[in-house]
Amino acid sequence: MNKIIKISILLAFASVTGVAAAQSSVTIYGRADAALGREVDSNIFREGQGEGSLFGIKGTEDLGNSLKTFFDFQASITLNNGVQTGGVGVNGPAGLFDSKSIVGIGNQYGYIDAGRKLTPAWVVSIMADPFGTYSYVTRNNAGLHANHLFTSARMQNAVSLNWTQSGYFASLQAGDDTRTAVWAQLPVLIAPTVSPILLTGQRPLSMATGYNQGPTYLAIGYEKSPYNTSFVGVTGVYDFGVAKVSLGVESGWHRRVQDDVKDVKATNGILGLTIPMGPGLILASYDVLNTKILNANGGYDSYKTYPWISRKWGAGYQYYLSKYSFLYTDVVYDKEAPLGRFGYDLGISHHF
């Protein structure tokens, strides 16, 4: 996918028992992205970014017998002012390499890594969105995960076990059960039946399993946080050649610590479409988000405050100038947005 700047170093050493060799490679990669437009639910025309800009460096060392070690450091960048974006994970604020910072060891059947990266369950959810994780205008991923209702997308101080075989895969990620983390704020502030989202000391856990080979992607993910929140998501994608269709559904909840009753529940569904057209791609999606809160009678009332309720249409086109660069434009309409139902952008993205 990326044009690679690769530095290869051949390390050889001799011993009394023979000669062994190991090859290391380091790759510098990234993305530069900028756009002009207006987000939905905003009256401000501004410069921003669509895909999001990043800078990364990764490397591997071949240990022989199909075994290798690896690392991957990735920093997100706000291109219009050059500021490193930062971020907050399940276990607290991130630093320079906020998008990813891992080291691991593995072979063709799987690997284990440690550090900070996307949670397996969140990856399952975002696969349903044809606009991906950084849609400047459409923000179709503004569901359970992007709004930080029940997950913060990344986990740090974490260890991940990952297995793959003949298209089937499974991942398990567990984080530190620290009580000093800073994460989500309560999305619902007006209901006396809703308790604050507080640290419980539970160890954060995320897992996913599925099948990804050829034109088919089908997976399910589950995640729980140390804030007594959980969510489960299912995504299916099929590439018919003339079009790729995606469907994702997820459900999440928060439980009160005092009695383990669900006081906030939400469901999010997205239907996506990607169509090759000329030298580019047409993207389209429809996203629905509903949130409910516990009432005094033990039932649930719909929570009508945006963005925890959404009915969002998105459409866009990516025009490829080369394998690594493309122009893009997007439009969006969300009938639940109070400050502006329409949004749009026009931008350029370059991958290296």
Side-chain angles (χ1 to χ4, degrees):
M1 181 181 70
N2 295 327
K3 182 170 62 180
I4 298 175
I5 303 173
K6 183 174 287 188
I7 306 169
S8 296
I9 306 170
L10 185 64
L11 302 175
F13 59 92
S15 68
V16 293
T17 58
V19 178
Q23 179 171 312
S24 296
S25 66
V26 176
T27 300
I28 298 173
Y29 66 97
R31 183 171 62 226
D33 182 280
L36 293 174
R38 189 186 74 180
E39 294 184 26
V40 68
D41 195 42
S42 172
N43 294 319
I44 301 174
F45 179 83
R46 68 179 182 89
E47 180 183 351
Q49 48 189 3
E51 280 195 295
S53 300
L54 61 86
F55 179 83
I57 180 170
K58 61 184 178 180
T60 63
E61 182 182 10
D62 186 357
L63 303 177
N65 296 319
S66 300
L67 194 65
K68 66 177 181 179
T69 56
F70 60 90
F71 71 91
D72 195 349
F73 301 147
Q74 189 179 106
S76 57
I77 302 167
T78 304
L79 191 70
N80 57 306
N81 58 15
V83 174
Q84 192 269 334
T85 305
V88 177
V90 167
N91 308 91
L96 172 60
F97 296 109
D98 59 312
S99 289
K100 184 187 291 185
S101 55
I102 60 171
V103 64
I105 186 170
N107 59 20
Q108 68 270 33
Y109 300 111
Y111 57 93
I112 180 172
D113 62 67
R116 172 183 167 90
K117 69 174 187 176
L118 296 172
T119 68
W122 193 88
V123 172
V124 170
S125 295
I126 206 62
M127 285 294 293
D129 190 345
F131 291 91
T133 57
Y134 294 100
S135 184
Y136 166 53
V137 170
T138 55
R139 298 199 183 279
N140 290 313
N141 59 324
L144 306 188
H145 38 292
N147 275 340
H148 301 299
L149 281 171
F150 308 115
T151 174
S152 64
R154 290 175 175 84
M155 194 183 299
Q156 59 200 47
N157 305 320
V159 175
S160 300
L161 303 175
N162 309 273
W163 166 83
T164 180
Q165 181 67 40
S166 303
Y168 295 96
F169 67 89
S171 297
L172 175 64
Q173 184 183 49
D176 183 12
D177 58 349
T178 176
R179 287 181 173 272
T180 61
V182 177
W183 183 61
Q185 298 295 321
L186 185 66
V188 182
L189 302 175
I190 62 174
T193 54
V194 176
S195 64
I197 295 181
L198 301 172
L199 277 167
T200 63
Q202 295 177 342
R203 186 178 300 277
L205 184 70
S206 185
M207 62 186 73
T209 186
Y211 179 81
N212 184 18
Q213 187 164 282
T216 304
Y217 177 91
L218 181 62
I220 182 172
Y222 169 78
E223 188 169 319
K224 71 171 185 176
S225 80
Y227 298 84
N228 235 27
T229 65
S230 303
F231 91 96
V232 59
V234 179
T235 292
V237 182
Y238 192 82
D239 192 344
F240 293 91
V242 295
K244 181 189 293 184
V245 179
S246 58
L247 175 65
V249 179
E250 55 186 359
S251 177
W253 57 91
H254 171 256
R255 293 181 181 272
R256 296 190 304 200
V257 176
Q258 62 268 32
D259 54 15
D260 206 38
V261 171
K262 293 180 182 179
D263 54 358
V264 181
K265 301 192 301 183
T267 56
N268 188 206
I270 182 170
L271 177 64
L273 185 65
T274 303
I275 303 174
M277 182 65 65
L281 298 171
I282 294 175
L283 309 176
S285 65
Y286 179 61
D287 186 38
V288 176
L289 173 64
N290 291 309
T291 304
K292 293 185 176 182
I293 60 175
L294 183 69
N295 60 36
N297 298 321
Y300 292 89
D301 298 325
S302 294
Y303 188 64
K304 299 294 187 179
T305 300
Y306 190 82
W308 294 283
I309 182 172
S310 178
R311 303 289 186 273
K312 189 177 299 184
W313 294 90
Y317 184 69
Q318 297 176 351
Y319 181 86
Y320 281 83
L321 304 169
S322 69
K323 184 178 179 180
Y324 309 107
S325 301
F326 62 89
L327 303 174
Y328 62 87
T329 185
D330 303 292
V331 293
V332 61
Y333 173 79
D334 191 336
K335 75 183 190 69
E336 301 294 342
L339 297 181
R341 295 180 177 181
F342 286 95
Y344 56 89
D345 71 353
L346 177 65
I348 183 171
S349 183
H350 172 71
H351 296 236
F352 61 90

